[in-house]
Amino acid sequence: AQKITQTQPGMFVQEKEAVTLDCTYDTSDPSYGLFWYKQPSSGEMIFLIYQGSYDQQNATEGRYSLNFQKARKSANLVISASQLGDSAMYFCAMREDTGRRALTFGSGTRLQVQP
Amino acid sequence: DGGITQSPKYLFRKEGQNVTLSCEQNLNHDAMYWYRQDPGQGLRLIYYSQIVNDFQKGDIAEGYSVSREKKESFPLTVTSAQKNPTAFYLCASSMGGAPNQPQHFGDGTRLSIL
């Protein structure tokens, strides 16, 4: 069963506008963490933001925020004031606190920011 | 600077040949991981190690082998049994125990078949 689902293969956004990248997840573990990574065309994976399953507030890091809806099992990434440099692949990932504790990744969303 | 170094950046494999991808970290992280990424897809876990001298198979371990003799190093060998090795390989490390610790990644190795 797919544990992380990203339903948007590609997204376009105008420069300076906000964009939401969707992520839903599936787990029976009560304790888990959700991560978002950015992958530019050069290939490196850049950590953006983290949300723990017990966190009461949505995580924020600069222009990035995470819209965490636990009951719906969704963890959408919101990028505010998009910049041209935001064009990249974005991956949602989950780590369950029991078992292997490695990340499980979604298939990614390619974001293109247009001037 | 602290980080993860993967080498080489590009690697070519001949039929029937084993090749080894290097991954070294100076972050003093306990856990290390190897992922494979195919074009347009997400990352899939090959092997991981939570501590020196111990490692476990991930989701796609067939045709690969690893060792963890030192905390800093986690080399991946792509054996001749891996019939479709062409992919982008990423090594990562993390503090391990704490669930909120992100994985830090190297810059990757692109492996191709000659």
Side-chain angles (χ1 to χ4, degrees):
Chain A
Q2 194 88 349
K3 287 203 167 187
I4 297 284
T5 302
Q6 295 181 252
T7 57
Q8 306 154 312
M11 290 280 286
F12 289 91
V13 65
Q14 291 293 123
E15 197 176 4
K16 299 180 185 177
E17 292 186 351
V19 62
T20 298
L21 306 183
D22 295 341
C23 173
T24 58
Y25 60 91
D26 183 28
T27 181
S28 57
D29 193 331
S31 179
Y32 53 88
L34 296 157
F35 300 79
W36 277 91
Y37 284 84
K38 173 184 178 181
Q39 187 180 44
S41 57
S42 51
E44 73 268 30
M45 296 288 285
I46 302 166
F47 166 68
L48 297 177
I49 195 166
Y50 164 83
Q51 180 84 44
S53 59
Y54 294 117
D55 292 344
Q56 296 296 313
Q57 293 188 319
N58 287 341
T60 60
E61 287 286 349
R63 294 187 299 111
Y64 303 109
S65 60
L66 205 153
N67 184 1
F68 180 48
Q69 298 187 46
K70 192 171 182 177
R72 298 179 62 184
K73 293 187 175 179
S74 75
N76 299 338
L77 177 70
V78 181
I79 305 174
S80 63
S82 296
Q83 302 172 357
L84 295 177
D86 293 335
S87 294
M89 283 290 288
Y90 288 81
F91 292 97
C92 180
M94 177 175 66
R95 172 181 166 167
E96 293 163 311
D97 291 346
T98 56
R100 69 187 190 183
R101 295 188 172 184
L103 291 177
T104 300
F105 284 84
S107 56
T109 296
R110 180 170 298 281
L111 177 67
Q112 295 187 57
V113 180
Q114 297 176 319
Chain B
D1 281 357
I4 301 174
T5 302
Q6 288 188 242
S7 61
K9 194 173 180 68
Y10 299 94
L11 186 58
F12 297 92
R13 197 193 87 169
K14 296 179 181 178
E15 291 289 337
Q17 186 181 44
N18 293 353
V19 292
T20 297
L21 285 60
S22 171
C23 178
E24 303 277 333
Q25 55 99 358
N26 60 4
L27 299 167
N28 199 34
H29 285 170
D30 293 311
M32 297 187 74
Y33 313 83
W34 274 106
Y35 293 91
R36 169 180 171 140
Q37 186 179 29
D38 292 286
Q41 297 186 28
L43 281 65
R44 292 184 291 167
L45 183 67
I46 306 172
Y47 268 98
Y48 65 104
S49 168
Q50 302 284 8
I51 197 168
V52 175
N53 291 322
D54 188 43
F55 50 83
Q56 285 77 42
K57 294 182 179 180
D59 299 318
I60 55 167
E62 186 174 349
Y64 300 97
S65 66
V66 293
S67 63
R68 186 87 188 276
E69 297 176 1
K70 298 186 299 182
K71 188 176 185 178
E72 303 79 20
S73 178
F74 192 39
L76 173 74
T77 296
V78 184
T79 74
S80 57
Q82 173 47 248
K83 297 306 179 188
N84 184 22
T86 297
F88 187 48
Y89 291 86
L90 285 157
C91 177
S93 71
S94 71
M95 286 294 289
N100 64 340
Q101 292 298 316
Q103 289 183 12
H104 299 266
F105 286 81
D107 289 341
T109 293
R110 295 191 185 276
L111 176 61
S112 301
I113 290 291
L114 280 179

